[in-house]
């Protein structure tokens, strides 16, 4: 496999650092977050950012694509697992680990580019396949939809004790907080198993989450 050119590899490293920083800043400041604040958090100079991205809009669109690629990778890894339940749990756990949904505050403020739409379509296709496989295997309750699980991920991904400790630079209790978060996630995921009372109300619309990206 050919090695990437040094500049290309550096650009990819910068992009990943900017994505991590953007998730942190957007979670705290919402759509008011500036490119300067994200670049500063990532340790990347503004000149470097604007050599690669001509506008703030283009910058955020690229970060959205990178975030969608993380969802795609998580779904692909889940589908490679032999056990459908393990695959589903992996997807949810991975999404919580990389902060899936943290760019949600950009919804409705950034036009959906062609690259974003293509990545979203691929992500949705893989995710629906993961859910369908779990349904067919009888390990996911029949009244749970993919949107239900997406909403669960969004709720579980809200500000946590782990994030609070990391932001404060505190290591004391961090391992304990991570173990407690994992325990909470497992409790929540158990509710997706068959054998529970039927869910109240109609299932959420398939486009409930994607509609917020309309401008």
């Amino acid at each position: 496999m050919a090695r990437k050119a040094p500049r290309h590899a550096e650009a990819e490293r910068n992009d990943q650092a900017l994505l991590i920083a953007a998730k942190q800043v957007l979670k705290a400041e919402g759509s008011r977050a500036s490119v300067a604040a994200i670049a500063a958090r990532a340790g990347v100079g503004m000149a470097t950012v604007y050599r690669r991205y001509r506008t703030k809009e283009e910058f955020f669109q690229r970060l959205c694509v990178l975030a969608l690629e993380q969802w795609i990778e998580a779904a692909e890894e889940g589908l490679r697992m032999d056990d459908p339940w393990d695959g589903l749990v992996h997807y949810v756990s991975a999404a919580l680990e990389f902060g899936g949904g943290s760019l949600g505050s950009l919804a409705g403020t950034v036009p959906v580019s062609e690259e974003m739409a293509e990545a979203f379509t691929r992500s949705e296709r893989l995710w629906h396949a993961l859910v369908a496989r779990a349904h067919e295997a009888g390990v996911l309750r029949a009244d749970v939809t993919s949107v239900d699980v997406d909403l669960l991920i969004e709720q579980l991904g809200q500000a946590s004790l782990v994030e609070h400790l990391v932001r404060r630079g505190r290591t004391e209790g961090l391992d304990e907080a991570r173990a407690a978060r994992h325990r909470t996630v497992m409790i929540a995921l158990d509710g997706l198993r068959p054998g529970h009372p039927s869910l109240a109300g109609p299932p959420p619309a398939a486009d409930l989450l994607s509609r917020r990206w309309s401008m």
Side-chain angles (χ1 to χ4, degrees):
M1 185 175 179
R3 295 181 61 184
K4 294 177 181 176
R7 282 191 179 181
H8 182 67
E10 181 182 6
E12 286 194 350
R13 286 194 299 271
N14 286 340
D15 278 351
Q16 291 304 317
L18 288 164
L19 177 60
I20 292 170
K23 289 179 178 180
Q24 295 167 346
V25 175
L26 285 165
K27 203 161 190 177
E29 301 180 20
S31 59
R32 302 185 307 276
S34 67
V35 177
I38 294 170
R41 177 71 66 92
V44 177
M46 286 292 288
T48 299
V49 173
Y50 282 116
R51 273 199 303 270
R52 186 161 169 78
Y53 304 105
R54 295 167 296 178
T55 64
K56 178 179 180 179
E57 180 179 283
E58 188 177 296
F59 170 71
F60 280 134
Q61 286 172 330
R62 179 57 182 160
L63 291 186
C64 287
V65 171
L66 292 173
L68 284 165
E69 287 175 352
Q70 291 182 316
W71 291 95
I72 289 169
E73 182 179 359
E76 288 176 336
E77 289 173 347
L79 286 168
R80 284 195 292 269
M81 293 183 173
D82 293 332
D83 187 290
W85 176 252
D86 288 345
L88 187 69
V89 170
H90 170 79
Y91 179 87
V92 174
S93 300
L96 292 172
E97 189 64 31
F98 62 65
S102 298
L103 301 188
S105 60
L106 294 175
T109 68
V110 176
V112 176
S113 68
E114 184 177 337
E115 190 179 15
M116 286 171 64
E118 289 176 355
F120 177 77
T121 298
R122 185 180 174 201
S123 173
E124 284 288 281
R125 185 173 64 251
L126 291 166
W127 171 223
H128 289 313
L130 198 60
V131 171
R133 189 176 73 142
H135 273 143
E136 289 166 7
V139 297
L140 178 64
R141 53 190 295 173
D143 56 352
V144 166
T145 70
S146 58
V147 180
D148 285 317
V149 186
D150 282 333
L151 289 168
L152 179 64
I153 292 171
E154 188 169 284
Q155 290 302 312
L156 290 173
Q158 297 301 315
S160 68
L161 177 58
V162 172
E163 292 173 339
H164 175 77
L165 293 175
V166 169
R167 281 198 304 270
R168 297 286 298 277
R170 294 175 57 181
T171 57
E172 180 185 356
L174 188 56
D175 288 342
E176 186 180 2
R178 284 185 172 132
R181 179 175 67 177
H182 177 72
R183 181 181 171 89
T184 301
V185 171
M186 291 301 104
I187 292 171
L189 290 180
D190 185 65
L192 300 178
R193 293 278 204 175
H196 296 279
S198 297
L199 292 167
D207 64 345
L208 177 63
L209 291 172
S210 60
R211 278 203 309 264
R212 63 184 172 186
W213 286 90
S214 300
M215 295 186 69

